[in-house]
Amino acid sequence: MTHISSITENDIHAYVDGVLDKERCAAVASWLEAHPDAAERVQAYKDQKALIRDAFDAVFDEPVPIELTNEVLKSRGFRVAIPWPRIAAGLVLLMLGGISGWSVRDQWPERATMPAPIAGNALSAHAVYVSEVRHPVEVGVDQEKHLVAWLSKRLGKPLRAPGLAASGYGLVGGRLLPDNGQPAAQFMYEDVDGNRITVYVRRSLEARETAFKFTSQENASAFYWVDSGFSYALAGKLSREELLSIAEQVYKDLNQN
Amino acid sequence: MVEQISLITEQIPHLRRYAAALLADRDNADDLVQECLARAISRHHLWKPTGTVRTWLFTILHNLHVNQIRDQKRKPEFLSDPVGYEQHGELPRQENRLEVRDLQRALQKLPDDQRAVLLLVGLEGHSYAEVALIVDAPIGTVMSRLARARDGLRKIMASQSATDLKVVK
């Protein structure tokens, strides 16, 4: 056993914070057994620490306000860092793809290019609402809690609005939509330049997870997948790569718990 | 820079949580975080990869907060009720819970430098050495502030609960 006199106030706090090595930790623990007053104080500190965490963890879990995300994204450094040559190359490829796609349009049966229903509905809803200036959403992000609770209730299963801050998109709000007689939810996001993407969600009959699938229409593209009883579609006027990386973030965000 | 941007973005929830506990007023807390982010972005070239982005951001936030306190002390006419919610009755969002409100009230009674250290360690889980960097003080000072903060908070909350006839522990 370590010398009793060698336990200091610093040891007590390091003990509370769990940063002592095993040996020292054991020494403090046995010292505390002999010093009930100190033991009581240690317990109070531990309770206090737990209470503080408990009280403020909710702030940590809140979605980040769009002003804060924008503060980071509007930096000039970020704009300078946009890889223009790569984007230009991507545009050229897109144009080539468009031309070759057009030239073979009659050679493919229509069905092969028909997107799955969720993607089609998501893309229609996307097209209708992203261009809406005055009422892009039914419930705005200022009432996010209410929005999510409401949509969860309507879809009959707890739902979340994925956080897309890391991709540079902040939540604008959401709305309830009809999807073949079933309720569906649309969340809209916006980047600092006002570009919008939407996440479309509805209950899925399929229990199993599916891989990301891609579909593209005239004005927007979508990735769609099934995960944990929901069908998702992410729609936006972005390249396949950009959209995929955001879709991956949606998936990741919804699966972190 | 893009990598730094995402490293900074990742820290926003941490900064918000810390600022909310530090200031008690959620709007002021988010304003402080916003100012911190603006400063971080405008000075990202000054970040030296000796510490982590996290420590660097908390240092900026800490310094801004210290400056705010100094300015408030200089202009006492603007120092209205620092715990604004006492006037407005209801606290925003989840802080309505009585226990949380007691805690916030108690935290605000601690000296600023002690509250900062207590929260950096207890809430944000920074190491003592990191806290010494953030508040720019020797580690011995950090430890003594932590000890005084914990003991102070314990006593404040005990007396609060005695007044409110409510068990806090």
Side-chain angles (χ1 to χ4, degrees):
Chain A
M1 208 175 106
T2 316
H3 259 280
I4 283 170
S5 59
S6 65
I7 304 293
T8 64
E9 185 68 15
N10 286 1
D11 285 324
I12 287 179
H13 290 281
Y15 180 78
V16 169
D17 292 316
V19 292
L20 290 176
D21 62 39
K22 232 183 196 170
E23 206 177 306
R24 194 77 188 149
C25 185
V28 173
S30 66
W31 181 82
L32 286 173
E33 275 173 30
H35 296 78
D37 283 1
E40 199 182 311
R41 206 153 54 89
V42 162
Q43 192 53 50
Y45 294 164
K46 282 185 173 172
D47 291 348
Q48 189 185 92
K49 193 172 165 174
L51 181 63
I52 293 174
R53 293 216 117 180
D54 184 48
F56 296 103
D57 268 355
V59 179
F60 186 84
D61 294 331
E62 278 174 17
V64 172
I66 195 162
E67 298 82 29
L68 296 184
T69 317
N70 287 352
E71 195 60 58
V72 179
L73 297 174
K74 78 185 178 197
S75 65
R76 209 160 5 139
F78 183 70
R79 297 242 163 112
V80 169
I82 290 172
W84 286 115
R86 266 169 50 198
I87 289 175
L91 283 174
V92 169
L93 283 176
L94 265 179
M95 282 162 64
L96 287 174
I99 294 164
S100 55
W102 182 252
S103 61
V104 298
R105 72 191 190 284
D106 292 331
Q107 298 165 29
W108 293 92
E110 181 122 342
R111 187 169 289 272
T113 54
M114 278 277 283
I118 172 119
N121 294 345
L123 282 166
S124 310
H126 178 85
V128 169
Y129 293 112
V130 286
S131 54
E132 179 65 43
V133 179
R134 286 181 65 114
H135 305 292
V137 294
E138 265 178 294
V139 180
V141 67
D142 51 320
Q143 298 179 62
E144 185 182 348
K145 236 182 186 164
H146 162 70
L147 169 72
V148 171
W150 169 56
L151 292 174
S152 299
K153 198 173 157 206
R154 292 310 306 271
L155 268 66
K157 196 167 152 52
L159 183 74
R160 266 180 52 207
L164 298 180
S167 300
Y169 287 87
L171 185 65
V172 179
R175 63 169 66 243
L176 183 70
L177 293 165
D179 182 310
N180 297 323
Q182 297 296 317
Q186 184 194 52
F187 293 111
M188 190 179 292
Y189 297 79
E190 198 171 65
D191 75 0
V192 68
D193 294 318
N195 299 311
R196 287 169 172 175
I197 54 175
T198 54
V199 175
Y200 187 93
V201 192
R202 71 163 192 228
R203 290 288 291 273
S204 170
L205 299 173
E206 274 185 273
R208 64 191 175 84
E209 250 182 59
T210 67
F212 288 142
K213 289 176 204 147
F214 181 74
T215 180
S216 189
Q217 286 187 357
E218 210 178 327
N219 281 317
S221 307
F223 268 100
Y224 55 100
W225 67 97
V226 175
D227 177 29
S228 318
F230 283 116
S231 287
Y232 295 93
L234 169 77
K237 200 174 177 178
L238 292 169
S239 74
R240 187 191 167 106
E241 289 70 31
E242 289 169 308
L243 210 54
L244 178 60
S245 100
I246 301 171
E248 280 166 348
Q249 212 205 325
V250 172
Y251 179 83
K252 209 171 102 192
D253 189 85
L254 293 172
N255 281 285
Q256 60 170 21
N257 268 317
Chain B
M1 183 60 197
V2 171
E3 200 177 312
Q4 273 183 39
I5 288 283
S6 79
L7 287 175
I8 292 172
T9 310
E10 267 172 30
Q11 290 302 321
I12 297 178
H14 291 279
L15 295 165
R16 289 186 77 220
R17 176 171 64 183
Y18 173 65
L22 194 65
L23 296 183
D25 180 293
R26 289 300 307 277
D27 291 334
N28 290 347
D30 273 349
D31 285 350
L32 182 65
V33 173
Q34 188 161 3
E35 208 179 329
C36 165
L37 294 170
R39 193 157 293 209
I41 292 297
S42 68
R43 298 181 180 187
H44 70 268
H45 55 280
L46 294 179
W47 177 60
K48 294 184 196 75
T50 46
T52 59
V53 167
R54 179 163 147 82
T55 318
W56 175 64
L57 287 169
F58 272 88
T59 307
I60 295 174
L61 190 101
H62 176 79
N63 291 338
L64 283 169
H65 181 232
V66 168
N67 291 346
Q68 273 182 4
I69 295 166
R70 199 194 49 211
D71 292 348
Q72 276 175 356
K73 282 187 179 148
R74 218 177 269 164
K75 292 177 274 186
E77 66 267 31
F78 291 119
L79 187 69
S80 59
D81 174 19
V83 189
Y85 56 79
E86 286 190 336
Q87 282 177 352
H88 303 300
E90 213 186 7
L91 272 165
R93 295 165 231 188
Q94 86 293 345
E95 285 117 82
N96 272 316
R97 278 162 42 208
L98 210 58
E99 202 180 38
V100 176
R101 214 164 62 171
D102 283 348
L103 173 67
Q104 284 201 313
R105 210 165 57 183
L107 281 171
Q108 291 305 314
K109 286 181 186 163
L110 287 177
D112 295 304
D113 54 356
Q114 291 181 23
R115 182 168 71 249
V117 168
L118 178 76
L119 295 172
L120 287 168
V121 171
L123 183 62
E124 291 305 325
H126 291 279
S127 71
Y128 302 145
E130 283 169 339
V131 175
L133 279 177
I134 292 167
V135 303
D136 192 23
I139 204 156
T141 309
V142 168
M143 293 311 292
S144 79
R145 281 182 197 165
L146 179 65
R148 276 180 286 144
R150 280 184 170 153
D151 211 46
L153 188 65
R154 183 171 70 103
K155 286 172 181 153
I156 293 166
M157 294 201 67
S159 74
Q160 268 182 197
S161 72
T163 336
D164 301 350
L165 292 172
K166 213 168 61 61
V167 181
V168 171
K169 241 165 60 171

